[in-house]
Amino acid sequence: MSLRLLLPTAVYAAILAFSSLPADDLSMLPAGLSWVGHVLEYAVLGAALRWAVDGVPGATAVTLGALACLAGIDEAYQSTVPGRDPSTLDWVVDVTSGAVAATAFVHWRG
């Protein structure tokens, strides 16, 4: 399992890299693209986390707990980036997107 954690770690590193962009750098993006980004980033993270812990007892609960914590850390981190603010709504979207993808992974895996 330890090598499997490399994928979600890399995905989360990419999420933090995007979260490091100041608001001014994001102002050129079309309206609504931020939401698409949140959904895609955390969907990929949710599926990667669920895959990484596949076979661990309570794997889905572990995945959901990790998603909630990682999304919270990401939102808190954004408060240190110029022009960015933490958002409870973003956290909810992140966790929900990850949870849906993790659930889809379980059903796809069969």
Side-chain angles (χ1 to χ4, degrees), residues 6 8 10-11 20 26 28 30 47-48 56 63-64 78-79 81 84 87 93 95-97 106 108:
L6 291 176
V11 171
S20 298
L26 301 173
M28 66 190 145
V56 171
T63 300
L64 296 179
Q78 286 182 29
S79 70
V81 178
R84 304 284 296 268
S87 164
V93 169
V95 174
T96 302
S97 301
V106 170
W108 170 77

PDB file of all heavy atoms in Angstrom, residues 6 8 10-11 20 26 28 30 47-48 56 63-64 78-79 81 84 87 93 95-97 106 108:
ATOM      1  N   LEU A   6       1.759   7.229  -3.245  1.00  0.00           N
ATOM      2  CA  LEU A   6       2.444   8.221  -4.080  1.00  0.00           C
ATOM      3  C   LEU A   6       1.474   8.965  -4.998  1.00  0.00           C
ATOM      4  O   LEU A   6       1.622  10.171  -5.201  1.00  0.00           O
ATOM      5  CB  LEU A   6       3.548   7.559  -4.905  1.00  0.00           C
ATOM      6  CG  LEU A   6       4.753   7.059  -4.123  1.00  0.00           C
ATOM      7  CD1 LEU A   6       5.721   6.330  -5.049  1.00  0.00           C
ATOM      8  CD2 LEU A   6       5.441   8.210  -3.408  1.00  0.00           C
ATOM      9  N   PRO A   8      -1.964   9.658  -4.654  1.00  0.00           N
ATOM     10  CA  PRO A   8      -2.720  10.726  -4.000  1.00  0.00           C
ATOM     11  C   PRO A   8      -1.823  11.842  -3.457  1.00  0.00           C
ATOM     12  O   PRO A   8      -2.231  13.004  -3.427  1.00  0.00           O
ATOM     13  CB  PRO A   8      -3.496  10.025  -2.887  1.00  0.00           C
ATOM     14  CG  PRO A   8      -2.919   8.673  -2.757  1.00  0.00           C
ATOM     15  CD  PRO A   8      -2.215   8.354  -4.037  1.00  0.00           C
ATOM     16  N   ALA A  10       0.901  12.967  -4.926  1.00  0.00           N
ATOM     17  CA  ALA A  10       1.194  13.813  -6.088  1.00  0.00           C
ATOM     18  C   ALA A  10      -0.013  14.662  -6.465  1.00  0.00           C
ATOM     19  O   ALA A  10       0.125  15.850  -6.795  1.00  0.00           O
ATOM     20  CB  ALA A  10       1.637  12.944  -7.264  1.00  0.00           C
ATOM     21  N   VAL A  11      -1.199  14.076  -6.421  1.00  0.00           N
ATOM     22  CA  VAL A  11      -2.417  14.827  -6.739  1.00  0.00           C
ATOM     23  C   VAL A  11      -2.607  15.967  -5.739  1.00  0.00           C
ATOM     24  O   VAL A  11      -2.895  17.101  -6.122  1.00  0.00           O
ATOM     25  CB  VAL A  11      -3.664  13.900  -6.762  1.00  0.00           C
ATOM     26  CG1 VAL A  11      -4.953  14.701  -6.877  1.00  0.00           C
ATOM     27  CG2 VAL A  11      -3.554  12.889  -7.890  1.00  0.00           C
ATOM     28  N   SER A  20      -1.743  27.853  -4.309  1.00  0.00           N
ATOM     29  CA  SER A  20      -0.696  28.836  -4.049  1.00  0.00           C
ATOM     30  C   SER A  20      -0.763  30.041  -4.977  1.00  0.00           C
ATOM     31  O   SER A  20      -0.073  31.035  -4.754  1.00  0.00           O
ATOM     32  CB  SER A  20       0.686  28.183  -4.189  1.00  0.00           C
ATOM     33  OG  SER A  20       0.848  27.164  -3.240  1.00  0.00           O
ATOM     34  N   LEU A  26      -5.511  34.468 -10.958  1.00  0.00           N
ATOM     35  CA  LEU A  26      -6.697  33.705 -11.339  1.00  0.00           C
ATOM     36  C   LEU A  26      -7.802  34.578 -11.924  1.00  0.00           C
ATOM     37  O   LEU A  26      -8.800  34.058 -12.418  1.00  0.00           O
ATOM     38  CB  LEU A  26      -7.238  32.947 -10.120  1.00  0.00           C
ATOM     39  CG  LEU A  26      -6.267  31.972  -9.467  1.00  0.00           C
ATOM     40  CD1 LEU A  26      -6.855  31.423  -8.174  1.00  0.00           C
ATOM     41  CD2 LEU A  26      -5.910  30.848 -10.412  1.00  0.00           C
ATOM     42  N   MET A  28      -8.079  36.175 -14.567  1.00  0.00           N
ATOM     43  CA  MET A  28      -8.303  36.069 -16.015  1.00  0.00           C
ATOM     44  C   MET A  28      -9.139  34.849 -16.393  1.00  0.00           C
ATOM     45  O   MET A  28      -9.570  34.713 -17.522  1.00  0.00           O
ATOM     46  CB  MET A  28      -6.972  36.012 -16.737  1.00  0.00           C
ATOM     47  CG  MET A  28      -6.185  34.764 -16.443  1.00  0.00           C
ATOM     48  SD  MET A  28      -4.538  34.871 -17.083  1.00  0.00           S
ATOM     49  CE  MET A  28      -3.670  33.988 -15.821  1.00  0.00           C
ATOM     50  N   PRO A  30     -12.317  32.354 -16.753  1.00  0.00           N
ATOM     51  CA  PRO A  30     -13.764  32.565 -16.896  1.00  0.00           C
ATOM     52  C   PRO A  30     -14.508  32.249 -15.602  1.00  0.00           C
ATOM     53  O   PRO A  30     -14.089  31.385 -14.823  1.00  0.00           O
ATOM     54  CB  PRO A  30     -14.165  31.577 -17.989  1.00  0.00           C
ATOM     55  CG  PRO A  30     -12.912  31.143 -18.652  1.00  0.00           C
ATOM     56  CD  PRO A  30     -11.803  31.340 -17.667  1.00  0.00           C
ATOM     57  N   ALA A  47     -10.679   9.474  -5.834  1.00  0.00           N
ATOM     58  CA  ALA A  47     -10.469   8.179  -6.481  1.00  0.00           C
ATOM     59  C   ALA A  47      -9.071   7.640  -6.176  1.00  0.00           C
ATOM     60  O   ALA A  47      -8.903   6.447  -5.891  1.00  0.00           O
ATOM     61  CB  ALA A  47     -10.690   8.294  -7.983  1.00  0.00           C
ATOM     62  N   ALA A  48      -8.077   8.522  -6.194  1.00  0.00           N
ATOM     63  CA  ALA A  48      -6.699   8.090  -5.921  1.00  0.00           C
ATOM     64  C   ALA A  48      -6.544   7.617  -4.479  1.00  0.00           C
ATOM     65  O   ALA A  48      -5.878   6.602  -4.213  1.00  0.00           O
ATOM     66  CB  ALA A  48      -5.727   9.237  -6.219  1.00  0.00           C
ATOM     67  N   VAL A  56      -7.849  -2.068   2.799  1.00  0.00           N
ATOM     68  CA  VAL A  56      -7.718  -1.707   4.216  1.00  0.00           C
ATOM     69  C   VAL A  56      -9.118  -1.741   4.838  1.00  0.00           C
ATOM     70  O   VAL A  56     -10.075  -1.251   4.232  1.00  0.00           O
ATOM     71  CB  VAL A  56      -7.110  -0.286   4.349  1.00  0.00           C
ATOM     72  CG1 VAL A  56      -7.164   0.216   5.773  1.00  0.00           C
ATOM     73  CG2 VAL A  56      -5.694  -0.259   3.806  1.00  0.00           C
ATOM     74  N   THR A  63     -10.912   7.027   3.522  1.00  0.00           N
ATOM     75  CA  THR A  63     -10.862   7.955   2.387  1.00  0.00           C
ATOM     76  C   THR A  63     -11.637   9.226   2.694  1.00  0.00           C
ATOM     77  O   THR A  63     -11.138  10.336   2.457  1.00  0.00           O
ATOM     78  CB  THR A  63     -11.428   7.285   1.116  1.00  0.00           C
ATOM     79  OG1 THR A  63     -10.649   6.133   0.822  1.00  0.00           O
ATOM     80  CG2 THR A  63     -11.422   8.234  -0.068  1.00  0.00           C
ATOM     81  N   LEU A  64     -12.844   9.091   3.213  1.00  0.00           N
ATOM     82  CA  LEU A  64     -13.664  10.273   3.515  1.00  0.00           C
ATOM     83  C   LEU A  64     -13.031  11.135   4.598  1.00  0.00           C
ATOM     84  O   LEU A  64     -13.046  12.371   4.506  1.00  0.00           O
ATOM     85  CB  LEU A  64     -15.073   9.850   3.897  1.00  0.00           C
ATOM     86  CG  LEU A  64     -15.870   9.146   2.808  1.00  0.00           C
ATOM     87  CD1 LEU A  64     -17.246   8.751   3.325  1.00  0.00           C
ATOM     88  CD2 LEU A  64     -15.981  10.000   1.564  1.00  0.00           C
ATOM     89  N   GLN A  78      -5.077  28.467   1.930  1.00  0.00           N
ATOM     90  CA  GLN A  78      -5.427  29.571   1.036  1.00  0.00           C
ATOM     91  C   GLN A  78      -5.516  30.905   1.771  1.00  0.00           C
ATOM     92  O   GLN A  78      -5.343  31.956   1.160  1.00  0.00           O
ATOM     93  CB  GLN A  78      -6.732  29.270   0.314  1.00  0.00           C
ATOM     94  CG  GLN A  78      -6.580  28.238  -0.772  1.00  0.00           C
ATOM     95  CD  GLN A  78      -7.864  27.981  -1.515  1.00  0.00           C
ATOM     96  OE1 GLN A  78      -8.712  28.849  -1.628  1.00  0.00           O
ATOM     97  NE2 GLN A  78      -8.009  26.779  -2.036  1.00  0.00           N
ATOM     98  N   SER A  79      -5.749  30.861   3.073  1.00  0.00           N
ATOM     99  CA  SER A  79      -5.819  32.118   3.829  1.00  0.00           C
ATOM    100  C   SER A  79      -4.454  32.798   3.904  1.00  0.00           C
ATOM    101  O   SER A  79      -4.378  33.977   4.246  1.00  0.00           O
ATOM    102  CB  SER A  79      -6.375  31.877   5.233  1.00  0.00           C
ATOM    103  OG  SER A  79      -5.448  31.157   6.022  1.00  0.00           O
ATOM    104  N   VAL A  81      -2.446  32.976   1.203  1.00  0.00           N
ATOM    105  CA  VAL A  81      -2.126  33.370  -0.171  1.00  0.00           C
ATOM    106  C   VAL A  81      -2.800  34.703  -0.466  1.00  0.00           C
ATOM    107  O   VAL A  81      -3.996  34.869  -0.197  1.00  0.00           O
ATOM    108  CB  VAL A  81      -2.598  32.283  -1.170  1.00  0.00           C
ATOM    109  CG1 VAL A  81      -2.319  32.693  -2.599  1.00  0.00           C
ATOM    110  CG2 VAL A  81      -1.936  30.945  -0.849  1.00  0.00           C
ATOM    111  N   ARG A  84      -6.634  35.385  -1.511  1.00  0.00           N
ATOM    112  CA  ARG A  84      -7.413  34.149  -1.399  1.00  0.00           C
ATOM    113  C   ARG A  84      -7.956  34.032   0.015  1.00  0.00           C
ATOM    114  O   ARG A  84      -7.336  34.467   0.976  1.00  0.00           O
ATOM    115  CB  ARG A  84      -6.545  32.917  -1.710  1.00  0.00           C
ATOM    116  CG  ARG A  84      -5.850  32.907  -3.055  1.00  0.00           C
ATOM    117  CD  ARG A  84      -6.759  32.601  -4.219  1.00  0.00           C
ATOM    118  NE  ARG A  84      -7.344  31.293  -4.199  1.00  0.00           N
ATOM    119  CZ  ARG A  84      -6.830  30.218  -4.768  1.00  0.00           C
ATOM    120  NH1 ARG A  84      -5.684  30.271  -5.413  1.00  0.00           N
ATOM    121  NH2 ARG A  84      -7.459  29.067  -4.705  1.00  0.00           N
ATOM    122  N   SER A  87     -12.981  28.980   2.332  1.00  0.00           N
ATOM    123  CA  SER A  87     -14.419  28.973   2.092  1.00  0.00           C
ATOM    124  C   SER A  87     -15.015  27.639   2.522  1.00  0.00           C
ATOM    125  O   SER A  87     -14.564  26.574   2.064  1.00  0.00           O
ATOM    126  CB  SER A  87     -14.692  29.203   0.606  1.00  0.00           C
ATOM    127  OG  SER A  87     -16.009  28.854   0.268  1.00  0.00           O
ATOM    128  N   VAL A  93     -17.781  21.391  -1.420  1.00  0.00           N
ATOM    129  CA  VAL A  93     -17.673  20.935  -2.816  1.00  0.00           C
ATOM    130  C   VAL A  93     -16.510  19.960  -2.959  1.00  0.00           C
ATOM    131  O   VAL A  93     -16.631  18.918  -3.619  1.00  0.00           O
ATOM    132  CB  VAL A  93     -17.511  22.142  -3.774  1.00  0.00           C
ATOM    133  CG1 VAL A  93     -17.130  21.693  -5.174  1.00  0.00           C
ATOM    134  CG2 VAL A  93     -18.791  22.967  -3.810  1.00  0.00           C
ATOM    135  N   VAL A  95     -15.029  17.989  -0.644  1.00  0.00           N
ATOM    136  CA  VAL A  95     -15.287  16.706   0.020  1.00  0.00           C
ATOM    137  C   VAL A  95     -16.359  15.916  -0.732  1.00  0.00           C
ATOM    138  O   VAL A  95     -16.226  14.702  -0.936  1.00  0.00           O
ATOM    139  CB  VAL A  95     -15.671  16.916   1.498  1.00  0.00           C
ATOM    140  CG1 VAL A  95     -16.084  15.608   2.152  1.00  0.00           C
ATOM    141  CG2 VAL A  95     -14.510  17.554   2.264  1.00  0.00           C
ATOM    142  N   THR A  96     -17.397  16.597  -1.171  1.00  0.00           N
ATOM    143  CA  THR A  96     -18.465  15.915  -1.911  1.00  0.00           C
ATOM    144  C   THR A  96     -17.947  15.338  -3.220  1.00  0.00           C
ATOM    145  O   THR A  96     -18.243  14.180  -3.558  1.00  0.00           O
ATOM    146  CB  THR A  96     -19.637  16.880  -2.170  1.00  0.00           C
ATOM    147  OG1 THR A  96     -20.112  17.372  -0.913  1.00  0.00           O
ATOM    148  CG2 THR A  96     -20.762  16.203  -2.921  1.00  0.00           C
ATOM    149  N   SER A  97     -17.167  16.100  -3.946  1.00  0.00           N
ATOM    150  CA  SER A  97     -16.599  15.618  -5.215  1.00  0.00           C
ATOM    151  C   SER A  97     -15.711  14.412  -4.992  1.00  0.00           C
ATOM    152  O   SER A  97     -15.782  13.423  -5.735  1.00  0.00           O
ATOM    153  CB  SER A  97     -15.793  16.729  -5.896  1.00  0.00           C
ATOM    154  OG  SER A  97     -16.589  17.846  -6.154  1.00  0.00           O
ATOM    155  N   VAL A 106     -15.315   2.444  -6.145  1.00  0.00           N
ATOM    156  CA  VAL A 106     -15.708   1.174  -5.514  1.00  0.00           C
ATOM    157  C   VAL A 106     -16.659   0.415  -6.439  1.00  0.00           C
ATOM    158  O   VAL A 106     -16.510  -0.794  -6.638  1.00  0.00           O
ATOM    159  CB  VAL A 106     -16.363   1.428  -4.131  1.00  0.00           C
ATOM    160  CG1 VAL A 106     -16.979   0.151  -3.583  1.00  0.00           C
ATOM    161  CG2 VAL A 106     -15.337   1.995  -3.159  1.00  0.00           C
ATOM    162  N   TRP A 108     -16.998   0.830  -9.731  1.00  0.00           N
ATOM    163  CA  TRP A 108     -16.310   0.494 -10.975  1.00  0.00           C
ATOM    164  C   TRP A 108     -15.418  -0.726 -10.774  1.00  0.00           C
ATOM    165  O   TRP A 108     -15.363  -1.616 -11.617  1.00  0.00           O
ATOM    166  CB  TRP A 108     -15.479   1.700 -11.424  1.00  0.00           C
ATOM    167  CG  TRP A 108     -14.556   1.383 -12.550  1.00  0.00           C
ATOM    168  CD1 TRP A 108     -14.884   1.232 -13.864  1.00  0.00           C
ATOM    169  CD2 TRP A 108     -13.155   1.150 -12.463  1.00  0.00           C
ATOM    170  NE1 TRP A 108     -13.768   0.934 -14.604  1.00  0.00           N
ATOM    171  CE2 TRP A 108     -12.681   0.878 -13.758  1.00  0.00           C
ATOM    172  CE3 TRP A 108     -12.244   1.147 -11.413  1.00  0.00           C
ATOM    173  CZ2 TRP A 108     -11.354   0.611 -14.041  1.00  0.00           C
ATOM    174  CZ3 TRP A 108     -10.912   0.884 -11.691  1.00  0.00           C
ATOM    175  CH2 TRP A 108     -10.484   0.628 -12.990  1.00  0.00           C
TER     176      TRP A 108
END
